[in-house]
């Protein structure tokens, strides 16, 4: 040891001094144990150890001991405890409360010394070089001696250890014969070890160490060898039993550790003892201590390869453990077949399909085939046994061919010595070679070169951890970044940690968050957990919870173990936020209430307000099934979309563009003009002007006089003026003369003649057209219809219809009508009932194959036939109150409406020149909705006819049942639109009168432009009147919050009392499985709804399974239905009218039996049937109330009848009677919380004292379940009452506190009650917004510009553009591959009831369809058409972006779709979005397989001239190279070029 450097000697001197502290601290522990345990003594026994572990350590959360430390404590021998164990026990053991002040002070001082001692120990232990210079040595030595003296050590004795004597051989009494015996036994033991007779070796070594009078060095060697034999024996035992128990104190590893420590103690300056201690700790999986020991050994023997390899192994394992790799489910070994099954489950890929692909690899890519075989041998397969050697051979074979994946996998096996010799240097070389390759597959463009990113990440780990290479965090960061750029999932997480800590890179927390998110989105469970904690730190609690749950779902065992800790931290954060002052809270709420900030409402179609009329995707689907009608309409729609896109994408068109527009529009009209639904007046006017200009050009240019363009523009004119038959007919006459062979003009001429009642002329046009084209079936139907009007002979009419039917497609719109018309003719002229019935049935059969856009089918002939059939039917019992049309014909309100309407009509007819009506501007403005998302259905009977009120959030569906009445403004407008200058002026004055100032000004200007001299002379008078009107409007007083509340209070009341009447047939409102799940979690409301639903299902099942019920079955039905109604009547949603009639008849029969049978007069059945009757007639309050009065008299103690009596009184506005009923019910059952809420709500309407109202609400809240539907509304109503009565700002805190309680109550509402609607809440929010300080800036508000540098966004753009560039350079090659989706994406016929969802709420690591949700997005980059899919980049309203891929369209449509439909700036909603994990690359994207799941917003919503970088509209700068990309600033263009790599597609 004379060659040992001084710095190394210094380290080991300090280490030796720390070893001496063990003896001192053991005595300190024993003293404290006696003090804390009422005088009990620690005797180093197993009994003491077990008791201490169970009662002290087991019951305290302070301790953080390793498994090895716990095992040694349980053994009870304090001599085996190291310094870390002793300090942990001394510092963390709870003190008894009986200590006096002196004892407490002494313990506190000792604890300070212990902490300092522990810090010095940690400094030395983590000193990788194990070298200490003289200055540091003297400082640390002095500190250690001072501490140990405090604990009872001798200063003099301790300082004697400072000399170099420990590095010199000690003077001992030696017995040479004993030495010879030890050498003999050691030699025999070593030989036994070589022969793997480890037990024999241990026996021999044990004999040797018990011999006295030999040198410490010699005994240390024997202990070291015995430790090695014990570890070898342990490995043999584990191999035989395949069991491993780290906490078994009889485990040979603990004995090996004891022997190794003895060796180290006997010869502390010899490397062997430290090495053996390291080996023992490594075997016990305590690699941190193993590393410390190996580093000591290496310091004493720096050239030892054996020590260095052992050190590298432990460092590598520790690094994996610190990264929780052992907890990562992706690292668990599975066979090839298990892997294929997993892929089938996740991605829907058939394992056999993959195996077939494996077989074909040998021809297309031999090196890839070798890699596959390597994986099969590494993990095992159906017909292949696991064999690492064979796996290594195949990986090596692939690597020799330059395959990056082969290199990476061979490096993995070489690193761990699996199947090959362990060689970390060679493994590093392989990784470097793989990382040097291109990230794109060398043979298959557009695909990832597997192995490159993985190798880059592995190199990053090496340099970050200093394993096998010199530790260098800057180099690690560079490798990580390369791996990030090439798609690694794990690398962003590790790079984020560097940015988070500022190690190797400059500290950047925002960059770290972005990297965590990128890694999490790529599927790394560790990153999901890190991101969750990061989001929690910045108070984004909602997303923190989402990502933590995703980490657990992804199989992150560490996350699952830490769930309680996370949820505790989450609750603490929530409490902090709740206790913030109001202004801060308001800012936080505005920033984080995503459901309020995200507007889910979208236009459902770009063509009209009725998205279901002509749906391109639906038509396409029917066309594929063979429908000629659908194919015809589909083609027409395509032309119309082309025309619309052309006219809307720019303000003005060139001559060439106008010609193209006319051609596309004309083609649509030729094929099927009815689909040409112009979206709005502005576009209609624009189209008119274009048609006029093109028509003038055709008239003035001799080259165009008889051109295709001239024919096209005439067709456009005819269709656009179809509602002006006289003008159109004159124009059509000129068209027929000029183009006598064009059947289109003859068809429309016939149609105009029919509209004008000129039937003979119509027949003449039809015959002329049929002469040119005898198969023109549209003319055949027209001719047959005119024959009916002309009362032609029956045979002639029937022949005309039959000719039409023989030629027309079977699903043509007029086929059913033809059969019904023929049947009607037979009724008039024939007695053949069978023929009439057969023809009628043919019409009904034809209806069944009609396209969805033609349903429900309307036919006056059919109605006449049904009426005739009904007259022949025998009269039956008419059920009371059945809501069918015939029973409503004598309704007095209906009669009044018709009479009043027709009186107006008659007055209009006799006073054509007199103003009939005057109108005032509405009291409130009716808000519009861009979509049906979230709206609820409402009927006329639910609308209060006594109250002027807008029903926000509802949709009313109606049918027009009488002729429309046009008043002067409408008549003037019709004439003005037809070009009458006088009508334009009259219309302008009329519009001015009703305060429509903007349109009044427009029409006055048009009158002047049209040459109306009187209008020009009266301009000053008109403009003066216009200014006066504007001044009057501007000086109107604003409405107040109080007025708004009074206007809406009664509608809220009725809604509350109706107990959430179901307004639609949506069966998904109450999902039994969902409710059952919530009930299991403790929801009383869900449990109540579940019970009611079960009774209702029982009742429904009974009444639907047979046509008629026995008397007993009727009684059971009544009981089940009544039980449902008693429990919660709102769940009783009767599916259809037919079933409702059947239920009514059953109730009537049972009720009659109860009335007629004396045994049933006061029976349970009588009660039940009355309950059923009341609920079924809830919409007839007057009749129901009379019936309920008799029920209350007969059953005065039944609260149900009192509740419904109160409800009926409320509906009739009889509030005092309602309160009386409520009080009567509460007298019977004071805890009946439904009545309490009703009472509180009535108090509001009756304007009772505030204290009385608040008390009523608070009583309800004290008794109702926390997730009751009316709990949030109660808080909001109370807050409104406080707001009404507050006269100063002191109560604003209370109001906001109650408002927050309402919002918290919303969060635990059942899904069937969401989204939550409350007018009181809206009123409060409006009031809060008025009070908000303008300088409050929400912390978490998303804005697009702040998202521009988001790593995921950059990746999406770059990947999309790389594909685009690849497509451009390989136009004739199949670039993309696709697999069938794992699940089918369901479609929805409407947006009603769907919930909004954002991209951040969609789990990017889970292949999943989000049923019941709608995702609203904007296209933000050019669409890329692939076979077989269209690739888009989309952005939601949080400015998060992702890929979206659209499938299921014809190849011929691709160009049209990407150029005209899926264009930049287009906004759309995706119903039931499907997050698909790519089967080929594992990348997530939004997948669309059915066009009907896409709802396009109106063209007016499109972002026009969107900046390609930041998304701003009306970007003025255009890229000078590609002429396509627009930018709002130069900075955006530079960012797009550099960051998003616009250069890839700039010249495409």
């Amino acid at each position: 040891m004379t060659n040992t450097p001084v710095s190394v000697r210094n380290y080991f001197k300090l280490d030796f001094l720390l070893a001496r502290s063990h003896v001192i601290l053991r005595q300190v522990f024993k003293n404290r144990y006696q003090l804390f345990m009422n005088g009990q003594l620690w005797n180093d026994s197993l009994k003491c150890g077990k008791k201490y572990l169970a009662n002290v350590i087991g019951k305290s959360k302070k301790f953080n001991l390793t498994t090895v430390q716990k095992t040694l404590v349980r053994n009870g021998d304090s001599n085996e405890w190291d310094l870390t164990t002793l300090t942990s026990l001394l510092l963390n053991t709870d003190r008894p409360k009986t200590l006096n002040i002196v004892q407490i002070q002494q313990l506190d001082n000792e604890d300070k010394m212990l902490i300092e001692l522990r810090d010095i120990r940690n400094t030395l232990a983590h000193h990788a070089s194990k070298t200490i210079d003289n200055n540091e040595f003297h400082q640390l030595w002095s500190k250690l001696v001072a501490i140990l003296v405090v604990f009872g050590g001798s200063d003099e004795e301790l300082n004697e250890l400072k000399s170099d004597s420990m590095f010199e051989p000690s003077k001992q009494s030696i017995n040479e014969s004993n030495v010879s015996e030890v050498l003999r036994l050691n030699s025999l033991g070593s030989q036994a070890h070589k022969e793997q007779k480890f037990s024999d070796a241990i026996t021999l070594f044990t004999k040797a160490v018990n011999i006295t009078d030999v040198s410490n060095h010699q005994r240390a060697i024997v202990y070291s060898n015995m430790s090695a034999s014990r570890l070898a024996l342990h490995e043999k035992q584990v191999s035989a039993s395949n069991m491993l128990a780290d906490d078994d104190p009889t485990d040979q590893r603990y004995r090996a550790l004891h022997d190794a420590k003895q060796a180290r103690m006997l010869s502390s300056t010899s490397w062997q003892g430290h090495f053996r201690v390291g080996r023992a700790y490594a075997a016990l999986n305590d690699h941190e201590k193993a590393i410390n020991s190996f580093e000591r050994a290496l310091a004493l023997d720096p050239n030892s390869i054996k020590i260095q390899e052992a050190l590298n192994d432990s460092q590598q394992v520790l690094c994996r453990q610190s990264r929780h790799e052992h907890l990562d489910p992706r690292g668990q070994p599975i066979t090839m077949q298990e892997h294929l099954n997993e892929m089938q489950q996740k991605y829907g890929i058939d394992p056999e399909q993959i195996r077939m692909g494996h077989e074909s690899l040998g021809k297309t890519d031999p090196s890839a085939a070798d890699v596959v075989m390597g994986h099969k041998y590494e993990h095992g397969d159906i017909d292949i046994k696991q064999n690492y050697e064979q796996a290594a051979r195949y990986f090596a074979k692939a690597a020799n061919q330059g395959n990056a994946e082969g290199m990476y996998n061979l490096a993995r096996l070489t690193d761990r010595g699996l199947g090959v010799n362990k060689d970390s240097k060679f493994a590093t070389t392989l990784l470097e070679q793989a990382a040097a390759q291109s990230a794109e597959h060398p043979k298959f463009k557009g695909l990832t070169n597997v192995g490159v990113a993985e190798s880059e990440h592995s190199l990053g780990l090496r340099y970050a951890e200093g394993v096998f290479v010199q530790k260098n965090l800057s180099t690690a960061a560079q490798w990580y970044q390369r791996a990030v750029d090439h798609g690694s999932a794990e690398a962003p997480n590790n790079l984020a940690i560097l940015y988070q800590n500022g190690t190797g890179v400059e500290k950047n927390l925002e960059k770290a968050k972005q990297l965590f998110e990128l890694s999490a989105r790529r599927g790394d469970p560790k990153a999901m957990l890190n991101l969750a904690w990061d989001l929690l730190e910045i108070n984004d609690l909602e997303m923190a919870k989402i990502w933590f749950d995703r980490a657990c779902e992804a199989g992150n065992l560490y996350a699952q173990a830490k769930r309680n800790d996370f949820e505790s931290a989450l609750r603490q954060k929530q409490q902090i936020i709740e206790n913030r002052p109001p202004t801060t809270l308001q800012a936080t709420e505005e920033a984080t209430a995503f459901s309020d900030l995200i507007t889910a409402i979208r236009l459902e179609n770009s063509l009209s307000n009725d998205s279901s009329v002509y749906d391109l995707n639906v038509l396409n689907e029917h066309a594929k099934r063979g429908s000629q009608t659908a194919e015809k309409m589909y083609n027409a729609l395509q032309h119309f979309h082309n025309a619309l896109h052309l006219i809307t994408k720019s303000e003005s068109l060139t001559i060439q563009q106008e010609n193209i527009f006319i051609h596309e529009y004309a083609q649509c009209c030729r094929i099927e003009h009815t689909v040409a639904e112009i979206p709005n007046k502005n576009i209609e006017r624009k189209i008119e002007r274009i048609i006029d200009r093109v028509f003038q050009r055709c008239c003035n240019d001799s080259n165009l006089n008889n051109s295709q363009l001239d024919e096209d523009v005439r067709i456009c004119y005819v269709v656009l003026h179809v509602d002006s038959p006289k003008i159109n007919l004159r124009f059509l006459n000129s068209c027929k003369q000029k183009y006598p062979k064009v059947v289109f003009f003859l068809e429309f001429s016939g149609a105009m003649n029919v509209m004008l009642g000129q039937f003979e002329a119509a027949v003449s046009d039809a015959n002329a057209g049929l002469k040119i084209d005898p198969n023109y079936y549209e003319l055949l139907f027209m001719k047959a219809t005119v024959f009916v009007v002309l009362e032609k002979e029956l045979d002639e009419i029937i022949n005309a219809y039959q000719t039409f039917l023989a030629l027309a497609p079977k699903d043509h719109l007029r086929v059913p009508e033809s059969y019904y018309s023929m049947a009607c003719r037979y009724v008039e002229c024939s007695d053949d009932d069978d023929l009439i019935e057969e023809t009628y049935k043919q019409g009904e059969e034809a209806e069944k194959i009609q396209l969805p856009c033609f349903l429900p089918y309307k036919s006056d002939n059919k109605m006449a036939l049904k009426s005739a059939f009904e007259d022949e039917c025998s009269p039956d019992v008419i059920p009371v109150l059945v809501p069918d049309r015939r029973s409503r014909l004598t309704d007095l309100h209906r009669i009044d409406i018709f009479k009043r309407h027709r009186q107006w009509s008659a007055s209009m007819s006799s006073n054509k020149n007199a103003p009939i009506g005057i109108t005032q501007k509405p009291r409130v403005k009716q808000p519009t909705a861009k979509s049906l998302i979230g709206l609820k259905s409402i009927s006329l009977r639910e609308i209060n006819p006594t109250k002027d009120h807008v029903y926000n959030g509802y949709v009313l569906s109606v049918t027009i049942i009488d002729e429309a009445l046009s008043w002067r403004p409408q008549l003037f407008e019709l004439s003005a639109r037809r070009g009458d200058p006088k009508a334009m002026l009259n219309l302008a004055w009329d519009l001015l009168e009703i305060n429509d100032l903007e349109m009044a000004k427009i029409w006055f200007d048009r009158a002047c432009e049209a040459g109306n001299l009187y209008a020009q002379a009266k301009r000053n008078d008109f403009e003066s009147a216009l200014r006066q009107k504007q001044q009057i409007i501007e000086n109107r007083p604003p409405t107040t919050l109080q007025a708004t509340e009074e206007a809406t209070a009664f509608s809220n009341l009725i809604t509350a009392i109706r107990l959430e009447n179901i307004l639609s047939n949506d069966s998904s409102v109450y999902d039994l499985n969902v409710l059952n799940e919530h009930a299991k979690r403790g929801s009383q409301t869900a449990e109540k709804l579940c019970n009611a639903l079960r009774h209702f299902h029982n009742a429904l099942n009974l009444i639907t399974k047979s046509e008629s019920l026995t008397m007993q079955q009727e009684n059971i039905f009544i009981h089940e239905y009544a039980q449902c109604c008693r429990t919660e009547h709102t769940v009783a949603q009767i599916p259809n009218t037919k079933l409702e009639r059947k239920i009514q008849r059953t109730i009537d029969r049972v009720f009659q039996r109860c009335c007629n049978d004396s045994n049933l007069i006061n029976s349970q059945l009588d009660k039940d049937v009355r309950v059923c009757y009341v609920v079924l007639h809830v919409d007839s309050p007057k009749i129901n109330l009379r019936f309920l009065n008799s029920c209350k008299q007969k059953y005065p103690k039944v609260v149900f009848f009192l509740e419904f009596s109160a409800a009926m009184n409320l509906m009739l506005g009889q509030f005092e009677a309602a309160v009386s009923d409520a009080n009567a019910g509460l007298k019977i059952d004071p805890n009946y919380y439904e009545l309490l809420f009703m009472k509180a709500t009535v108090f509001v309407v009756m304007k009772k004292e505030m204290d009385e109202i608040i008390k009523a609400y608070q009583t309800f809240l004290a008794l109702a379940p926390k997730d009751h539907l009316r709990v949030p509304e109660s808080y909001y109503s109370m807050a409104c009452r406080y707001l009404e009565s507050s006269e100063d700002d002191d109560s604003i805190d209370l109001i906001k506190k109650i408002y927050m309680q309402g919002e918290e109550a919303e969060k635990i509402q059942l899904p069937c009650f969401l989204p939550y609607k409350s007018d009181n809440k809206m009123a409060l929010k409006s009031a809060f917004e008025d009070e908000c300080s303008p300088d409050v800036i929400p912390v978490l508000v998303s804005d697009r510009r702040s998202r521009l540098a988001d790593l995921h966004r950059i990746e999406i753009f770059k990947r999309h553009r790389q594909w685009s560039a690849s497509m451009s350079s390989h136009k004739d090659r199949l670039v993309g591959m696709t697999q069938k989706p794992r699940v089918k994406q369901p479609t929805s016929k409407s947006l009603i009831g769907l919930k909004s969802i954002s991209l951040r709420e969609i789990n990017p690591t889970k292949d999943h369809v989000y049923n019941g949700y709608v995702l609203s997005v904007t296209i933000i980059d050019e669409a890329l058409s692939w076979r077989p899919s269209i690739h888009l980049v989309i952005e939601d309203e949080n400015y998060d972006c992702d890929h979206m891929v659209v499938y299921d369209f014809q190849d011929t449509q691709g160009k049209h779709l990407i150029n005209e439909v899926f264009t930049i700036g287009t906004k759309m909603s995706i119903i039931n979005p499907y997050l698909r994990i790519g089967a080929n690359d594992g990348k997530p994207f939004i997948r669309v397989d059915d066009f009907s799941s896409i709802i396009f917003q109106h063209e007016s919503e499109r972002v026009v001239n969107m900046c390609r970088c930041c998304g701003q509209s009306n970007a003025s700068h255009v890229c000078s190279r590609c002429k396509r990309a627009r930018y709002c600033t130069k900075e955006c263009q530079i960012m797009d070029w550099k960051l998003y790599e616009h250069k890839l597609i700039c010249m495409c």
Side-chain angles (χ1 to χ4, degrees), residues 94-210:
D94 291 331
R95 301 174 184 176
K97 297 180 180 179
T98 56
L99 299 177
N100 57 45
I101 296 175
V102 175
Q103 290 172 323
I104 293 172
Q105 288 177 346
Q106 181 182 349
L107 291 172
D108 288 344
N109 291 332
E110 288 180 356
D111 284 354
K112 289 178 182 178
M113 295 293 103
L114 286 170
I115 292 170
E116 194 171 350
L117 179 65
R118 184 185 61 190
D119 291 343
I120 295 172
R121 180 266 167 199
N122 290 340
T123 300
L124 291 173
H126 297 105
H127 208 299
S129 65
K130 307 303 180 191
T131 57
I132 302 289
D133 63 35
N134 288 330
N135 289 333
E136 186 179 6
F137 168 73
H138 291 301
Q139 290 175 3
L140 291 174
W141 186 275
S142 300
K143 286 183 179 179
L144 274 174
V145 170
I147 293 169
L148 295 177
V149 167
V150 170
F151 287 110
S154 168
D155 189 359
E156 185 177 345
E157 290 180 4
L158 292 172
N159 279 318
E160 286 180 1
L161 302 175
K162 199 172 184 180
S163 67
D164 287 340
S165 59
M166 65 177 295
F167 293 99
E168 298 170 358
S170 59
K171 295 179 181 180
Q172 294 179 266
S173 174
I174 303 297
N175 185 315
E176 292 299 333
S177 62
N178 287 356
V179 170
S180 297
E181 181 61 14
V182 168
L183 291 174
R184 186 183 71 82
L185 292 172
N186 184 62
S187 177
L188 291 173
S190 299
Q191 184 61 37
H193 182 94
K194 289 178 183 179
E195 295 172 358
Q196 297 191 3
K197 298 176 181 179
F198 304 121
S199 296
D200 293 344
I202 293 170
T203 301
L204 292 166
F205 290 139
T206 303
K207 290 179 180 179
V209 296
N210 288 326

Side-chain angles (χ1 to χ4, degrees), residues 1012-1030:
N1012 189 322
L1013 299 178
Y1014 186 78
Q1016 294 169 5
K1018 290 291 184 178
R1019 177 174 287 280
N1020 291 337
D1021 294 344
F1022 181 87
E1023 289 180 348
S1024 174
L1026 187 67
R1027 284 192 297 272
Q1028 290 177 7
K1029 281 279 187 180
Q1030 288 170 332

